[in-house]
Amino acid sequence: MPYDDSPPSPESASSVSPERRWFARRSGLAVGAAVLAPTALAGWVLVQVTTGAGADDARPPRIVMPAASPTDGAAATPSSAPAEGPAEGPAEGPAKSQSPAKSPLAGKTVVIDPGHNTGNFKHTSEIDKKVDIGTNRKECDTTGTTTNSGYMEAEFTLDVSRRLRTVLEAKGLKVVLTHQADRPFGPCIDERARIGNEATADAVVSVHADGVSEGNRGYHIILPAKVKGGAADTAKIVGPSRDLGERIASNFARTTGSAPANYLGSGTGLVVRDDLGGLNLSTQPKVFIECGNMRDAKDAALLTSPEWRQKAAQGIADGIVGFLGG
Ligand code: ZN
C-alpha cells in the first residue's frame, strides 16, 4: 500500500525577541555619570559604547562590574537598569538573544518496531525457527493478521510507524525503525529487541493490530511483566514502561476517539504479559500497542483509513513525547 504521508503542521516556534530593558539617552547618561562619578562609581565602571549617531536611544551603555561587587550597586545604577548589560556585540547589531533552553527531547532516541513484515507469509520456514527469548524459546516472527478484506496487519503497522516517525522527527527526536520494507521477512523478535537495546533507545514502541473475533473492539497497550531468565531481565524497565504505556493509552484514546479494549484489560486498555520476546529481551522502556481489532468490521473501517492512522500515530507520538518530558 502506498505510503500516504500527511506531515503534521510544523510546530509554531516560540521566538520571543529579547526585551529591551535599556533606553539610555546620551544626555541622561552624561548627567548621571557626572553626578555619580565621584562616589557611587567607585565600584562601577560605566562604559558608554555608543559612538554612532542616530541609533543611540536603542542601545544601552555597557556596564562592567568589577570583581568586587558594590553594596550600593542598585543605587549607583542609572534609572532601574539591571546590573548586567547585554552581551557584547556589533555596535549596530540587534541585541543578542539568549540561547533557548535545551529541549528535553534533544539527543533522545525512539525506536519504533512495525509488527510483522508483509513478506513473512512467503518465508514461513524462516520465521517459524525458534529463537531464545530468555524465559523461553519462541518463533522468530509471525505473519500477523489481516482484515476480512485482506488488509495486512504488517501493512498497517508499517504505515502507522512511518507516520509516527514523521511526527517524532518534527519534534527533534532521533527515530529508528526496526525495519521498513527493506528485508524479505522479519526481523526476528530477539533482533527487534536488540535494535532498541543497541540504540539505547529512550523509548521503544512496537506497533500492532489484533486479530480476534468480531465484536471485540478497541485498543490496548501491552506492558512488560517482571521476568528474569537467560538474557531476559525486565526489572529495570517495568516501571518506566508502564509510565510510557499509560501515556500512550490516554493520548491514543484522545486523538482517535477509540475506547480501551472491551475483551481484555478490564477496560483499562493496559495488559501485562510475560510471554513476548520483544518485551522480555528489552533493556529499554518498551510497550506494544494493539491499535484495534482487524477482524471486527467497525474497527477495520478505522484501521484501513489513512486519516485514522494519522490520528493513531499522533496519539502514540504524544504519549512518547510526554514520557520523554517534552
Ligand atoms: Zn501483531
Side-chain angles (χ1 to χ4, degrees), residues 197 201-205 221-226 233-249 269-273 278-289 319-320 323:
N197 296 347
D202 297 283
V204 187
V205 177
I221 312 290
I222 305 172
L223 312 174
K226 189 174 175 187
D233 184 358
T234 58
K236 285 185 184 153
I237 67 160
V238 165
S241 298
R242 174 169 285 272
D243 182 15
L244 173 65
E246 288 176 348
R247 288 170 184 273
I248 291 174
L270 301 170
V271 174
V272 176
R273 284 176 63 170
L279 294 180
N280 288 4
L281 296 173
S282 183
T283 59
Q284 311 304 117
K286 181 171 181 178
V287 300
F288 280 42
I289 180 166
I320 293 170
F323 172 72

Side-chain angles (χ1 to χ4, degrees), residues 187-308:
C188 293
I189 53 178
D190 56 338
E191 186 183 347
R192 291 174 188 263
R194 195 158 55 243
I195 292 168
N197 296 347
E198 288 178 354
T200 58
D202 297 283
V204 187
V205 177
S206 191
V207 179
H208 290 258
D210 217 345
V212 291
S213 56
E214 176 86 29
N216 295 304
R217 295 197 61 195
Y219 69 87
H220 68 279
I221 312 290
I222 305 172
L223 312 174
K226 189 174 175 187
V227 297
K228 190 167 170 59
D233 184 358
T234 58
K236 285 185 184 153
I237 67 160
V238 165
S241 298
R242 174 169 285 272
D243 182 15
L244 173 65
E246 288 176 348
R247 288 170 184 273
I248 291 174
S250 59
N251 282 284
F252 187 87
R254 176 179 55 80
T255 59
T256 63
S258 289
N262 63 5
Y263 57 98
L264 75 185
S266 307
T268 62
L270 301 170
V271 174
V272 176
R273 284 176 63 170
D274 63 5
D275 62 325
L276 297 176
L279 294 180
N280 288 4
L281 296 173
S282 183
T283 59
Q284 311 304 117
K286 181 171 181 178
V287 300
F288 280 42
I289 180 166
E290 299 280 1
C291 295
N293 176 17
M294 300 200 95
R295 294 290 183 178
D296 176 83
K298 288 179 183 153
D299 270 10
L302 302 174
L303 297 163
T304 54
S305 156
E307 292 76 23
W308 189 88

Side-chain angles (χ1 to χ4, degrees), residues 26 48-57 59 91-92:
R26 258 186 174 172
Q48 188 177 2
V49 293
T50 300
T51 51
D56 302 346
D57 288 357
R59 194 165 48 247
E92 301 300 326

Side-chain angles (χ1 to χ4, degrees), residues 115-116 142 144-145 153 157 207-210 290:
H116 316 281
T142 54
T145 187
E153 181 190 352
T157 64
V207 179
H208 290 258
D210 217 345
E290 299 280 1

Side-chain angles (χ1 to χ4, degrees), residues 49-126:
V49 293
T50 300
T51 51
D56 302 346
D57 288 357
R59 194 165 48 247
R62 181 167 55 125
I63 293 180
V64 181
M65 192 185 290
S69 296
T71 52
D72 58 347
T77 307
S79 75
S80 59
E84 74 285 6
E88 275 188 75
E92 301 300 326
K96 278 185 182 174
S97 60
Q98 299 262 330
S99 57
K102 197 181 175 192
S103 161
L105 304 181
K108 293 198 172 158
T109 300
V110 176
V111 169
I112 305 167
D113 177 37
H116 316 281
N117 182 320
T118 55
N120 277 0
F121 75 98
K122 296 181 202 157
H123 296 272
T124 50
S125 62
E126 290 99 328

Side-chain angles (χ1 to χ4, degrees), residues 19-183:
E19 192 185 352
R20 279 183 178 164
R21 294 184 293 187
W22 281 86
F23 289 96
R25 292 178 182 279
R26 258 186 174 172
S27 55
L29 281 171
V31 173
V35 171
L36 294 168
T39 55
L41 281 184
W44 289 81
V45 179
L46 183 62
V47 180
Q48 188 177 2
V49 293
T50 300
T51 51
D56 302 346
D57 288 357
R59 194 165 48 247
R62 181 167 55 125
I63 293 180
V64 181
M65 192 185 290
S69 296
T71 52
D72 58 347
T77 307
S79 75
S80 59
E84 74 285 6
E88 275 188 75
E92 301 300 326
K96 278 185 182 174
S97 60
Q98 299 262 330
S99 57
K102 197 181 175 192
S103 161
L105 304 181
K108 293 198 172 158
T109 300
V110 176
V111 169
I112 305 167
D113 177 37
H116 316 281
N117 182 320
T118 55
N120 277 0
F121 75 98
K122 296 181 202 157
H123 296 272
T124 50
S125 62
E126 290 99 328
I127 67 167
D128 282 349
K129 269 190 194 162
K130 295 259 171 78
V131 297
D132 187 351
I133 65 164
T135 52
N136 203 347
R137 292 184 66 79
K138 217 170 165 183
E139 289 77 18
C140 151
D141 206 6
T142 54
T143 57
T145 187
T146 67
T147 64
N148 291 334
S149 59
Y151 179 55
M152 296 176 74
E153 181 190 352
E155 291 177 79
F156 170 82
T157 64
L158 185 55
D159 182 81
V160 170
S161 296
R162 285 171 160 161
R163 293 170 187 275
L164 181 50
R165 174 172 60 189
T166 301
V167 176
L168 294 175
E169 284 181 344
K171 292 274 185 186
L173 287 159
K174 183 183 174 195
V175 179
V176 176
L177 263 58
T178 58
H179 73 101
Q180 42 184 328
D182 53 352
R183 48 189 299 160

